[in-house]
Amino acid sequence: MPSKSRKLAETVGDENQDDASRFLQLFMEHERQLRFYLHQLLPDRDDVDEVMQNTSIVLWTKFAELEEEAGFIKWAYVVARYEVLMYRRQKARDRLILNPDLLTTIALEISETPELVQDYQHALRGCLDKLVEQDRRLILQTYSHGLKVAQLAEELRRSVQSIYRKLSGLRQQLARCVRLSAEH
């Protein structure tokens, strides 16, 4: 069990264990989708982690308000969107923050078509598999493991600029691949 889920389960205490079990099952089932959603709205992995944690707490505290378990992910997207907006207000001085109207538009489009997010995730996994091992590792180290470009440049004994150029090219390649996969 992931540590966040374990911490969440510990906060449950003596409350209804059935609700906790149902919540954890739904949360774990949709955690990747929710994290992917947050990655669309926030530029930094650490920001995603922090908002993901806040969102999971809100989801648990309001779980009794969820009317149908089938609507969990749409409900979770709404909660996450509000958590992103609240987080943005706290970080208002950060120059990488999106305009609130654009953020709301992106969030609504994603939350209205949760199956589209799954399709893109599936396509992205397939496109990552098509990359050569060295390129795939570079992408994963940067975007999944959160290594900074300067660290990667030092480890790979390359210039920071060459890493940025390589990542830019790989992002464009992945974007084309995902678009083509989504069209089929």
Side-chain angles (χ1 to χ4, degrees):
M1 179 184 299
S3 63
K4 280 189 290 185
S5 299
R6 188 176 317 123
K7 286 178 187 174
L8 201 53
E10 290 170 2
T11 63
V12 171
D14 293 332
E15 294 185 32
N16 189 329
Q17 289 298 318
D18 288 340
D19 281 349
S21 294
R22 284 188 7 250
F23 174 77
L24 285 175
Q25 183 178 8
L26 287 167
F27 183 78
M28 292 173 68
E29 181 180 327
H30 297 288
E31 184 177 2
R32 291 180 121 193
Q33 281 178 272
L34 191 55
R35 185 169 292 279
F36 184 80
Y37 174 79
L38 290 172
H39 275 288
Q40 308 312 303
L41 303 177
L42 296 166
D44 185 86
R45 184 173 184 248
D46 293 335
D47 293 343
V48 169
D49 288 343
E50 189 166 335
V51 173
M52 185 72 180
Q53 183 176 357
N54 295 342
T55 300
S56 65
I57 291 168
V58 172
L59 289 173
W60 168 244
T61 57
K62 296 182 180 250
F63 185 59
E65 297 174 19
L66 179 64
E67 294 177 8
E68 293 183 27
E69 291 181 7
F72 182 85
I73 191 62
K74 284 190 172 187
W75 175 65
Y77 285 158
V78 171
V79 170
R81 180 168 39 109
Y82 284 110
E83 289 300 313
V84 167
L85 290 171
M86 192 164 22
Y87 185 76
R88 276 184 37 52
R89 273 186 236 119
Q90 293 169 352
K91 295 245 176 183
R93 294 184 185 159
D94 190 332
R95 64 186 170 90
L96 297 176
I97 298 296
L98 294 175
N99 171 301
D101 293 336
L102 176 60
L103 181 71
T104 299
T105 300
I106 293 169
L108 289 174
E109 284 184 17
I110 294 171
S111 64
E112 288 173 1
T113 55
E115 64 282 346
L116 191 61
V117 172
Q118 287 179 319
D119 291 346
Y120 279 119
Q121 283 180 305
H122 181 74
L124 181 58
R125 275 188 229 113
C127 293
L128 281 169
D129 288 342
K130 292 177 183 174
L131 292 177
V132 297
E133 177 61 29
Q134 185 179 7
D135 291 346
R136 183 176 41 254
R137 192 172 336 120
L138 181 62
I139 288 286
L140 293 176
Q141 286 176 321
T142 305
Y143 299 108
S144 288
H145 303 141
L147 290 181
K148 302 291 181 203
V149 171
Q151 288 176 283
L152 289 168
E154 188 175 317
E155 285 180 22
L156 300 172
R157 296 183 180 160
R158 294 173 55 185
S159 71
V160 170
Q161 193 61 33
S162 74
I163 298 294
Y164 276 120
R165 277 195 303 268
K166 183 68 175 178
L167 286 170
S168 176
L170 290 171
R171 281 194 306 266
Q172 290 174 6
Q173 184 179 344
L174 286 171
R176 276 192 304 273
C177 179
V178 167
R179 253 192 320 273
L180 288 173
S181 297
E183 290 174 3
H184 295 120

